[in-house]
Amino acid sequence: MPKTQELYLHPTSPLYLLKKNNMLDHITETTLLLDEKKCRQNIEMMAEKAERNNIRLRPHFKTHQSAQVGEWFRERGTTGITVSSLKMARYFANHGWDDILVAIPVNIRDMALVNELAAKVQLHLVSVNIETVQALTEQLQYPVNLWLKIDTGYHRTGILPHSHEQLDAMVALLEQSDKLHFTGVLAHDGHTYKQSDTDAIRTIHHTTVFLLNLVRDRFKARFPDLKVSIGDTPSCSILQTISGVDEIRPGNYVFYDLTQQHIGSCHYSQIAVCMACPVIAKHPERNEIIVHGGSVHFSKDSLTGADGSTIYGRVVELTDTGWSEPLAGIEVVSLSQEHGTIRASKALFDRYQIGDLVGILPVHSCLTADAMRGYTLLDGTQLEHLSGTGR
Amino acid sequence: MPKTQELYLHPTSPLYLLKKNNMLDHITETTLLLDEKKCRQNIEMMAEKAERNNIRLRPHFKTHQSAQVGEWFRERGTTGITVSSLKMARYFANHGWDDILVAIPVNIRDMALVNELAAKVQLHLVSVNIETVQALTEQLQYPVNLWLKIDTGYHRTGILPHSHEQLDAMVALLEQSDKLHFTGVLAHDGHTYKQSDTDAIRTIHHTTVFLLNLVRDRFKARFPDLKVSIGDTPSCSILQTISGVDEIRPGNYVFYDLTQQHIGSCHYSQIAVCMACPVIAKHPERNEIIVHGGSVHFSKDSLTGADGSTIYGRVVELTDTGWSEPLAGIEVVSLSQEHGTIRASKALFDRYQIGDLVGILPVHSCLTADAMRGYTLLDGTQLEHLSGTGR
């Protein structure tokens, strides 16, 4: 595909060497590009919003899972983080993070790791069932902060706000425990991800804040320091004013993706990751381009396009300094294990040659990053992802 | 969940220690179990079928991507293998395989790796476009076997059998090349994966064999040794008699999965991999069990159940020696990044407690193995997967 700026340089020119050495020329295989500038702007945007609203930001690190990206947060003042598994907690604890919330009902089969973490960091765990609190009470060797997860409408997991008997029994047990410190109530509004109406997202957010405060108020007299924590990128992106909560835990905003753009959480220009996939075959009879980039690279989330078609990614033009907004008339329409199929207009089909790189914005950046196991910055620097470290 | 054999053992009994040390007790986190016996039986079944039909078996290693599982094939006589990326070819070349077919249109951006591989193994590459053949002709430093991929109906990639002009031009170029050895024509019947009617699979298979032979016959006079190669687990599993081809390249049969059972390629008892997922929450109000096991573990392929519902896995009972057939009335109905939601009958809901392990047969074993990055045998031995090696 033609470069956007095709400045002619004679091979004796010093600039010629620079150009030959540009980053794209060094990419030979399917690669996840990360635009550090966009990423840092996303980090800045949410940090500034939290400060302006006088709320603590405890960003979810499950999206990037990278020690180096974590440092960009640290430089912007982040001290407490959220993760989604004990293994991820260990990874970031090993990289100097000492205030970590594991935002999934804790896996009590792995008490050895729970105790290993509790010994060295301020560990926050989440529970939904009294059996979990009982197991922790019996087996914890070090103090831990315990949050009750409330189901405010997503219906994946959590205690229903009106389950008073269950809540009271769990809190009674917490009150007796010398290791568990009842810290607060939290929720994850995963149902915002299914909306594309920002008003619906506001309603979900306000409902959740209302319900979490109801639950907190029930126990406030006995636990005056109880916190309320929420965490989802759509609400935290769309709302400018956030009140009624002590803490927010968005994560995906570090990269954003096509799903978030579709919801209305971000503009295309804020998406900080892009796949670079080599063209390996062309089919002129149906204007389809085959790239090396399948479900082992992207994972398999999809979006429904305006015409009802299923989209696995949108194509952008790669340049030496980043990428364009999505091109019209060209989309990833299918993924198998290693192949991606791109359907294009005739004009765009003709612009891509065998061996070219196609830029593709991912539908779900968390899963794509987990599948790709590492990042390449626009200057060629490699950053790690937990999944590529063998840990 | 109660063990299937609940023999009472006094703690002073030597057997008590053995029981305490059983494999399941040592599993603390989401784990991919591999039943070596079932796996070796699958390997044996296809090897025997190929011998009986006097056809070469070149198994596809993209499903397991494991050096150790590869050795089980070697012990059963495998000498040539199929892979789906240059990186996978390098991994197996480093593990002593010297006859490797990379069954994806070759990525000509990675000529350095192509030449590195061609220098040390008998490398087979695949092309669909003349531009690829031209690039190889210009840049290859060592001889390579070249296969033309024919599209016999899957319509993902391949040359259409009636595209005589394209075929003739490519073969003319191959004829002039001193590095490229035109070896044969191959196809992948990916459309068999969408069938659940074994007769339809037979028809697809016979059509493919007919079309590949048509293409071979066109060039037979000039290339008398041209081979015909096909490769898909459904056809190779369902047909007992295979003729008209020189080579078969099935891969998924090494493990099988729910998709293959649904197609009719295997019985549940042949599925050689099973996820063990800890129960992290329970919701009695809707008989839903939450396990630590989401799309980063299973990937995201699904099946449509008999009632039109979407299924992400079927639940089996784990024992110390393996697992049962799927239980009726309990299924994985949803996956998010780290959570799996299982919906159960009341009776089955009550059998699982927080901290228990749930056995889950995966929908697509290739993607699950790639996501899990390693295997645990039933005796606790760990096997590697390329994706967990950091290579």
Side-chain angles (χ1 to χ4, degrees):
Chain A
M1 162 164 210
K3 299 279 190 306
T4 41
Q5 298 172 308
E6 201 57 76
L7 176 67
Y8 176 75
L9 292 169
H10 192 271
T12 57
S13 155
L15 281 175
Y16 181 82
L17 198 69
L18 257 181
K19 190 163 181 304
K20 281 287 288 181
N21 283 328
N22 76 49
M23 195 262 312
L24 294 180
D25 286 345
H26 289 278
I27 293 179
T28 57
E29 58 177 3
T30 315
T31 299
L32 180 58
L33 301 174
L34 170 56
D35 185 324
E36 179 175 348
K37 190 175 164 198
K38 287 182 183 180
C39 184
R40 284 185 183 265
Q41 280 168 347
N42 295 338
I43 292 170
E44 170 61 31
M45 175 273 298
M46 198 63 79
E48 187 279 323
K49 186 182 287 190
E51 283 167 0
R52 182 160 36 85
N53 284 278
N54 201 22
I55 289 169
R56 178 151 200 221
L57 172 63
R58 183 190 283 282
H60 207 314
F61 276 18
K62 74 171 183 177
T63 301
H64 62 82
Q65 294 185 52
S66 171
Q68 295 99 332
V69 176
E71 293 309 310
W72 302 347
F73 281 88
R74 209 194 300 267
E75 290 169 22
R76 188 51 185 83
T78 296
T79 55
I81 66 169
T82 309
V83 298
S84 56
S85 69
L86 292 167
K87 195 186 274 188
M88 217 182 290
R90 181 173 55 195
Y91 171 75
F92 285 109
N94 289 340
H95 283 94
W97 294 92
D98 60 7
D99 179 1
I100 305 178
L101 167 63
V102 186
I104 185 170
V106 58
N107 170 20
I108 59 166
R109 285 187 85 86
D110 215 351
M111 278 305 301
L113 182 47
V114 168
N115 277 314
E116 180 191 321
L117 288 164
K120 66 177 184 181
V121 305
Q122 188 173 0
L123 186 64
H124 300 254
L125 298 176
V126 166
S127 175
V128 169
N129 296 91
I130 196 162
E131 292 84 352
T132 304
V133 177
Q134 278 161 339
L136 290 172
T137 301
E138 290 162 15
Q139 297 174 57
L140 268 177
Q141 291 160 6
Y142 304 92
V144 152
N145 294 317
L146 201 282
W147 296 73
L148 296 184
K149 186 177 175 75
I150 309 300
D151 179 0
T152 58
Y154 181 28
H155 301 327
R156 181 176 64 182
T157 186
I159 308 161
L160 293 169
H162 56 268
S163 294
H164 291 170
E165 208 176 318
Q166 185 186 355
L167 283 164
D168 291 350
M170 290 176 78
V171 171
L173 202 57
L174 287 171
E175 211 160 13
Q176 294 160 26
S177 168
D178 62 335
K179 295 284 191 307
L180 287 166
H181 171 62
F182 181 27
T183 306
V185 289
L186 58 76
H188 172 64
D189 283 342
H191 46 324
T192 57
Y193 291 79
K194 286 169 187 156
Q195 313 302 317
S196 55
D197 166 357
T198 55
D199 263 2
I201 290 169
R202 283 172 211 276
T203 298
I204 288 171
H205 168 78
H206 291 306
T207 306
T208 290
V209 173
F210 173 78
L211 292 171
L212 287 179
N213 277 280
L214 269 189
V215 179
R216 168 165 61 179
D217 290 350
R218 187 174 179 84
F219 303 107
K220 208 166 149 182
R222 285 144 68 196
F223 297 89
D225 295 329
L226 277 190
K227 301 278 186 276
V228 165
S229 173
I230 59 160
D232 66 295
T233 283
S235 311
C236 295
S237 297
I238 289 164
L239 278 94
Q240 291 307 317
T241 303
I242 303 174
S243 61
V245 303
D246 301 290
E247 181 179 274
I248 55 173
R249 310 183 317 277
N252 178 281
Y253 76 94
V254 63
F255 296 155
Y256 284 122
D257 54 30
L258 291 181
T259 301
Q260 295 300 330
Q261 188 279 332
H262 184 71
I263 289 169
S265 306
C266 68
H267 299 289
Y268 286 123
S269 62
Q270 293 173 278
I271 300 176
V273 285
C274 179
M275 293 284 280
C277 298
V279 174
I280 55 173
K282 288 187 73 182
H283 294 287
E285 67 280 8
R286 51 184 189 269
N287 290 331
E288 286 182 359
I289 296 164
I290 307 297
V291 292
H292 188 210
S295 42
V296 295
H297 305 100
F298 285 92
S299 187
K300 208 131 181 196
D301 269 0
S302 60
L303 271 183
T304 304
D307 60 350
S309 62
T310 304
I311 295 169
Y312 294 90
R314 290 195 193 274
V315 173
V316 296
E317 190 166 349
L318 292 173
T319 69
D320 294 339
T321 55
W323 53 83
S324 70
E325 300 239 330
L327 305 174
I330 182 166
E331 283 157 357
V332 183
V333 295
S334 165
L335 294 178
S336 53
Q337 184 165 346
E338 301 266 355
H339 301 67
T341 302
I342 295 173
R343 196 168 297 146
S345 65
K346 177 75 175 69
L348 282 169
F349 176 84
D350 289 340
R351 280 174 64 184
Y352 289 93
Q353 305 306 324
I354 302 274
D356 280 352
L357 284 178
V358 180
I360 301 173
L361 298 182
V363 170
H364 189 169
S365 59
C366 311
L367 298 187
T368 302
D370 194 81
M372 290 301 296
R373 302 166 197 136
Y375 309 90
T376 299
L377 299 187
L378 299 178
D379 66 2
T381 308
Q382 306 287 313
L383 304 189
E384 74 176 28
H385 184 290
L386 166 57
S387 68
T389 61
R391 270 163 278 177
Chain B
M1 161 165 212
K3 300 279 191 305
T4 40
Q5 298 172 311
E6 200 57 73
L7 176 67
Y8 174 73
L9 292 169
H10 191 273
T12 58
S13 155
L15 282 175
Y16 181 83
L17 198 68
L18 259 181
K19 190 162 180 304
K20 280 286 290 180
N21 282 328
N22 76 49
M23 193 262 311
L24 294 180
D25 285 347
H26 289 278
I27 293 179
T28 56
E29 58 176 4
T30 313
T31 299
L32 181 58
L33 300 174
L34 170 56
D35 185 327
E36 179 176 348
K37 190 175 164 196
K38 288 182 181 179
C39 185
R40 284 186 184 263
Q41 281 168 348
N42 294 338
I43 291 170
E44 169 61 31
M45 174 273 298
M46 199 63 79
E48 188 278 323
K49 185 181 287 190
E51 283 167 1
R52 182 160 37 84
N53 284 279
N54 201 23
I55 288 170
R56 176 148 203 226
L57 172 63
R58 182 190 284 282
H60 207 313
F61 276 17
K62 75 171 181 176
T63 301
H64 62 81
Q65 295 185 51
S66 170
Q68 294 100 331
V69 176
E71 293 309 309
W72 303 347
F73 280 89
R74 209 193 299 266
E75 289 169 23
R76 189 49 187 80
T78 295
T79 55
I81 66 170
T82 309
V83 297
S84 56
S85 69
L86 292 167
K87 195 187 272 190
M88 217 183 292
R90 181 172 55 193
Y91 171 75
F92 284 109
N94 288 341
H95 283 93
W97 294 93
D98 59 8
D99 179 0
I100 304 177
L101 166 62
V102 186
I104 186 170
V106 58
N107 170 20
I108 59 165
R109 284 187 86 86
D110 215 351
M111 279 306 300
L113 182 48
V114 168
N115 277 314
E116 179 192 322
L117 287 165
K120 64 177 186 182
V121 305
Q122 188 173 358
L123 186 64
H124 299 254
L125 298 177
V126 167
S127 174
V128 168
N129 296 91
I130 196 162
E131 292 83 352
T132 304
V133 177
Q134 278 161 339
L136 291 172
T137 302
E138 289 162 15
Q139 298 175 55
L140 270 178
Q141 291 160 5
Y142 305 92
V144 153
N145 293 317
L146 201 282
W147 296 73
L148 295 184
K149 185 177 177 72
I150 309 299
D151 179 0
T152 59
Y154 182 28
H155 302 326
R156 181 177 63 183
T157 186
I159 307 161
L160 293 169
H162 56 266
S163 294
H164 292 169
E165 206 176 320
Q166 186 185 353
L167 283 164
D168 291 350
M170 290 175 78
V171 172
L173 204 55
L174 287 172
E175 213 162 10
Q176 294 160 25
S177 169
D178 60 337
K179 294 285 189 310
L180 287 166
H181 171 64
F182 181 27
T183 305
V185 289
L186 59 76
H188 172 62
D189 282 343
H191 45 325
T192 58
Y193 291 78
K194 287 170 187 156
Q195 312 302 318
S196 56
D197 166 357
T198 56
D199 263 2
I201 289 169
R202 284 171 211 276
T203 298
I204 288 171
H205 168 77
H206 292 306
T207 306
T208 290
V209 173
F210 173 78
L211 292 171
L212 287 180
N213 277 279
L214 268 190
V215 178
R216 171 169 54 184
D217 290 350
R218 187 174 181 85
F219 302 108
K220 210 167 148 180
R222 284 145 68 197
F223 297 89
D225 296 328
L226 276 192
K227 301 277 186 275
V228 165
S229 173
I230 60 160
D232 66 297
T233 282
S235 312
C236 295
S237 298
I238 288 163
L239 279 93
Q240 291 306 319
T241 304
I242 304 174
S243 62
V245 303
D246 301 288
E247 180 178 275
I248 54 173
R249 310 183 318 276
N252 178 283
Y253 76 95
V254 65
F255 296 155
Y256 283 123
D257 54 30
L258 293 181
T259 301
Q260 295 299 329
Q261 188 280 332
H262 184 72
I263 289 169
S265 306
C266 68
H267 299 290
Y268 285 124
S269 62
Q270 293 173 278
I271 300 176
V273 285
C274 179
M275 293 284 278
C277 298
V279 174
I280 56 173
K282 288 187 71 182
H283 293 287
E285 68 279 8
R286 51 183 190 270
N287 290 332
E288 285 183 358
I289 295 164
I290 307 297
V291 293
H292 188 209
S295 43
V296 294
H297 305 99
F298 285 92
S299 187
K300 207 131 182 197
D301 270 0
S302 60
L303 272 182
T304 304
D307 60 350
S309 63
T310 304
I311 296 169
Y312 294 90
R314 289 194 194 274
V315 174
V316 296
E317 191 167 346
L318 292 173
T319 69
D320 293 339
T321 55
W323 53 84
S324 70
E325 300 236 329
L327 304 174
I330 182 166
E331 284 158 355
V332 182
V333 295
S334 165
L335 294 177
S336 54
Q337 183 166 348
E338 303 265 355
H339 301 67
T341 302
I342 295 174
R343 197 168 295 147
S345 65
K346 178 74 174 70
L348 282 168
F349 177 82
D350 289 340
R351 281 173 62 184
Y352 288 93
Q353 305 306 323
I354 302 275
D356 281 352
L357 284 178
V358 179
I360 301 173
L361 298 182
V363 170
H364 189 170
S365 60
C366 311
L367 297 188
T368 302
D370 194 81
M372 290 301 295
R373 304 167 196 135
Y375 310 91
T376 299
L377 299 187
L378 299 178
D379 65 2
T381 308
Q382 306 287 312
L383 304 190
E384 74 176 29
H385 183 292
L386 165 57
S387 69
T389 63
R391 272 163 278 177

